[in-house]
Amino acid sequence: MINDSTQPMQLEAETVITTFENYGMAWGLYIGLTLLLAGLVWFAFRKQHFLLKWFFASVILAGALCFGHPAENIETYSPLILNTMVELFDGNTEQFMSDIKFIVLVWGILFIVGVGAWLLVRYLRKNKDDAGKAEKQPRKPAKDKQEKASKEASNKDKPMATPVEPTIGDDV
């Protein structure tokens, strides 16, 4: 009998929790705050190597932006990390481990793609810089090089003036 009297209240609570008016705006705010947090971490580690910055940022992005259904027969989504913590507290270790494996898989893919993009950008920049250096330094004719070398040689033969340093008491 107790279940019959609480069942309508439970159904009403599930309806309010799973379907609310600003669902899309809440997700937009959540994603925006997650990106802000990742940006702050990136800024905090700005003087560190790219791989360390990307490691921390990708952990935040993968952990916060994986989504899943909070319960069976519910059409809306919630952050998977929150669902995972609820599963842990409820003692559902099988679902907890499944969720953690999925988050780690998403993180691994995200990290590898980010490092690959970083390596590609470095490779392209290096090739661009090497090509730019070759174009900026036009070849000089051998005659110009010989004239420059002869001028330097003639300047070496000239005696240089010897500097005279003043001493205290010279003005007397």
Side-chain angles (χ1 to χ4, degrees):
M1 260 202 262
I2 296 174
N3 288 342
D4 292 337
S5 64
T6 59
Q7 190 173 5
M9 187 184 316
Q10 184 179 7
L11 290 175
E12 184 179 322
E14 284 181 17
T15 303
V16 170
I17 291 171
T18 59
T19 57
F20 56 95
E21 186 177 324
N22 297 323
Y23 178 73
M25 189 167 48
W27 265 106
L29 180 64
Y30 178 77
I31 291 170
L33 290 174
T34 299
L35 295 175
L36 177 66
L37 177 62
L40 289 173
V41 167
W42 192 273
F43 180 74
F45 288 93
R46 68 186 172 275
K47 294 184 181 182
Q48 302 300 318
H49 193 271
F50 170 82
L51 292 176
L52 182 65
K53 293 186 291 190
W54 181 239
F55 173 79
F56 288 125
S58 63
V59 166
I60 290 169
L61 293 173
L65 297 180
C66 286
F67 54 89
H69 294 289
E72 293 180 21
N73 302 324
I74 299 208
E75 297 176 11
T76 59
Y77 292 96
S78 65
L80 188 59
I81 194 72
L82 297 178
N83 298 347
T84 304
M85 292 300 112
V86 170
E87 297 294 342
L88 178 65
F89 294 139
D90 286 346
N92 190 351
T93 56
E94 184 178 315
Q95 185 64 36
F96 171 77
M97 290 307 294
S98 174
D99 292 348
I100 290 295
K101 287 177 186 177
F102 180 73
I103 292 171
V104 169
L105 175 69
V106 169
W107 169 79
I109 292 169
L110 185 65
F111 186 75
I112 289 170
V113 167
V115 170
W118 174 67
L119 290 172
L120 179 65
V121 166
R122 282 187 58 196
Y123 175 77
L124 293 175
R125 279 187 185 169
K126 182 181 178 197
N127 285 344
K128 182 181 176 185
D129 290 345
D130 290 345
K133 287 179 184 177
E135 290 176 5
K136 288 181 182 178
Q137 297 175 352
R139 294 185 180 183
K140 293 185 178 182
K143 185 177 178 181
D144 290 343
K145 288 182 182 178
Q146 288 175 352
E147 288 177 9
K148 185 177 180 181
S150 65
K151 285 181 184 178
E152 288 176 0
S154 65
N155 287 340
K156 287 182 182 178
D157 296 339
K158 294 180 183 178
M160 293 180 58
T162 306
V164 178
E165 295 188 25
T167 58
I168 297 177
D170 282 344
D171 57 335
V172 181

